[in-house]
Amino acid sequence: MPSKADVKAWKAQLVAQAEQQILKLTDSDQFKQYLNTLAKFHQYSAKNIDLIYAQDLQATQVAGFKQWQTDFNRTVNKGAKAIRIAAPIIKKLTPADQKRLDTTDERAIVGYRYLPIFDVAQTSGAPVLSAKDFVKENLADHQNVTSLYNAFKDYLNQQTDLQISEAPLAKLNGAKGYFQPSTNKIVIGGDEPDNALKLKTLYHEYAHSQLHGLKAAFKDRPRAYQETQAEAVAYVAMQNIGVDTSNYSLGYVATWAKDKAVIHSALSEIQQVSNKVIAISDGLTKQLGLQEAQKDPEHDLKKRSANELNQSYQGLQQQIKQATDPQQKAVLKNQLNDVHQEISERTQKRLKAFAEENPEINQPDSEPDQSLKR
């Protein structure tokens, strides 16, 4: 079984890998194209956001009739019903107006007019990049992941001051779940069909509760920080149980953390919460009798084919060459030794079996002839 030092190094490695992968994604040309696309959309006030969603709950990317043509090479579909937003009417003030309004400002808002805009779903034409190009929601399902989700949910309800409940996705306004700091409640979309995504969402919201609750040290962080931290914790926790969520998690993080400084700062603060989530999950998987093969490297290796072992050996050798962190290198070397030991044992067993099946073949003496020296 791995030592405490190995486990500590493994946790540190998971967080380091998360940062490396996110930074790699933000350097990609496609992500830069996404940011350029995002920059073309106007940032609306809270009042207009409320107006948009009151008229079309499914709206994701909105722009005016001409803007769709000039900026995105798309046209509004015939018969599409416009979404109306409020645009301020600004007037230059006369001295009399300034006196009446008791202001020294040269201009002021004197009213609003309602302008038509359209959602991308109401248009046709050239493709428009969106967050969905980086967020793949179909995670590979994992054996027993439902049991772990239920156990983690029960643990939080029974052993902490959090209240975890479920609600239909239709009532969550497009979210998979949310954390409410004022009530210390977490709500998860109960009818989410992807069990791995459901567990990842619970990890995400739990991370919010620990990092951004009313008494938390980082509660006043901007939303970009908060979402980066919560999703990074969820990614690390899922990696720990052997479920790769990189297509979803890293893309989600990158859409929030557009500044690399945000990524570095946010990830440097998640180590403690990541360790806490991993510790709880490891305890629960032990109680449930799950994930034994993954937690015990020797048992896991015995299930691998000879080809898989050889690929692991070559892959680990390459990772060790590229590793710069001493802790990470030590963990990789231990894993390489385990694989080497398994390959050696299998080879010895095959040789022994071959010798027993072919007794006519002369076997080498147990003591080599010392007279044969060079």
Side-chain angles (χ1 to χ4, degrees):
M1 293 294 288
S3 65
K4 288 184 179 179
D6 289 340
V7 173
K8 184 178 180 181
W10 166 248
K11 293 174 182 177
Q13 180 188 345
L14 286 176
V15 176
Q17 285 176 343
E19 182 173 10
Q20 290 169 10
Q21 291 300 316
I22 295 165
L23 290 173
K24 188 189 297 182
L25 188 146
T26 57
D27 280 334
S28 72
D29 289 337
Q30 190 182 26
F31 187 69
K32 290 171 184 174
Q33 290 173 16
Y34 165 72
L35 294 184
N36 289 335
T37 300
L38 203 63
K40 293 178 184 177
F41 289 101
H42 294 299
Q43 298 300 310
Y44 292 102
S45 66
K47 179 181 178 181
N48 275 331
I49 289 172
D50 288 341
L51 281 172
I52 291 168
Y53 284 112
Q55 296 168 77
D56 185 355
L57 269 175
Q58 306 304 316
T60 57
Q61 295 172 302
V62 291
F65 188 95
K66 287 185 178 179
Q67 189 186 4
W68 278 120
Q69 293 178 326
T70 57
D71 288 354
F72 301 100
N73 196 25
R74 294 177 71 87
T75 55
V76 174
N77 298 333
K78 188 175 181 180
K81 184 179 179 182
I83 300 168
R84 297 282 174 171
I85 58 169
I89 299 171
I90 301 174
K91 177 185 175 183
K92 185 175 181 180
L93 301 179
T94 64
D97 290 331
Q98 291 174 322
K99 185 176 181 179
R100 176 172 53 82
L101 296 171
D102 191 22
T103 181
T104 58
D105 293 340
E106 293 184 356
R107 294 175 177 273
I109 296 174
V110 296
Y112 290 88
R113 64 181 183 277
Y114 289 88
L115 301 179
I117 58 172
F118 300 87
D119 181 55
V120 63
Q122 298 172 294
T123 66
S124 304
V128 178
L129 279 174
S130 72
K132 288 185 178 179
D133 289 288
F134 304 92
V135 179
K136 183 187 287 185
E137 296 192 359
N138 291 323
L139 304 178
D141 204 353
H142 193 263
Q143 186 180 8
N144 297 317
V145 77
T146 304
S147 300
L148 182 54
Y149 166 80
N150 289 327
F152 192 66
K153 178 163 65 75
D154 292 344
Y155 173 88
L156 296 180
N157 275 325
Q158 295 165 15
Q159 305 295 328
T160 74
D161 58 356
L162 290 165
Q163 296 179 48
I164 319 299
S165 61
E166 295 184 350
L169 286 167
K171 293 186 177 181
L172 301 185
N173 295 326
K176 302 295 181 183
Y178 65 84
F179 165 62
Q180 193 171 58
S182 59
T183 60
N184 223 25
K185 290 182 178 179
I186 290 175
V187 178
I188 304 294
D191 52 346
E192 167 57 53
D194 192 323
N195 293 325
L197 183 56
K198 201 171 174 182
L199 175 61
K200 188 208 69 67
T201 302
L202 182 55
Y203 281 142
H204 178 107
E205 302 308 335
Y206 174 69
H208 273 313
S209 75
Q210 300 303 291
L211 287 163
H212 314 123
L214 294 180
K215 297 179 182 179
F218 309 120
K219 62 180 173 60
D220 296 324
R221 283 292 198 194
R223 192 174 181 190
Y225 270 82
Q226 293 187 3
E227 294 301 324
T228 299
Q229 289 175 318
E231 192 67 8
V233 169
Y235 169 73
V236 169
M238 294 296 282
Q239 284 285 99
N240 179 63
I241 63 169
V243 182
D244 183 13
T245 67
S246 56
N247 281 333
Y248 182 91
S249 298
L250 301 185
Y252 182 95
V253 169
T255 57
W256 284 104
K258 299 175 183 67
D259 183 347
K260 289 186 181 181
V262 172
I263 297 173
H264 281 295
S265 298
L267 286 176
S268 69
E269 295 167 357
I270 70 166
Q271 181 74 62
Q272 186 177 351
V273 176
S274 294
N275 290 348
K276 192 173 182 180
V277 173
I278 289 172
I280 295 171
S281 295
D282 285 353
L284 293 172
T285 53
K286 231 174 241 182
Q287 291 175 21
L288 294 166
L290 308 177
Q291 302 295 332
E292 298 299 337
Q294 183 192 337
K295 298 303 174 187
D296 183 349
E298 181 183 358
H299 183 61
D300 185 43
L301 292 176
K302 291 189 183 300
K303 285 190 172 183
R304 296 186 190 177
S305 67
N307 186 46
E308 288 172 336
L309 280 175
N310 288 330
Q311 287 180 349
S312 294
Y313 192 84
Q314 293 170 10
L316 286 166
Q317 283 183 316
Q318 188 64 30
Q319 289 179 55
I320 290 170
K321 286 181 183 178
Q322 296 174 349
T324 55
D325 181 74
Q327 283 187 325
Q328 181 184 2
K329 188 167 284 192
V331 172
L332 291 170
K333 283 183 177 179
N334 285 337
Q335 293 174 2
L336 184 67
N337 288 336
D338 290 336
V339 174
H340 181 269
Q341 182 66 27
E342 179 63 23
I343 292 173
S344 297
E345 288 178 6
R346 289 193 193 185
T347 302
Q348 291 300 322
K349 285 179 181 178
R350 287 198 190 97
L351 288 172
K352 185 178 179 181
F354 181 79
E356 290 174 352
E357 292 171 4
N358 301 273
E360 71 280 3
I361 298 178
N362 292 329
Q363 300 301 310
D365 295 333
S366 58
E367 292 294 333
D369 187 348
Q370 297 299 319
S371 64
L372 297 175
K373 293 182 181 179
R374 293 185 180 180

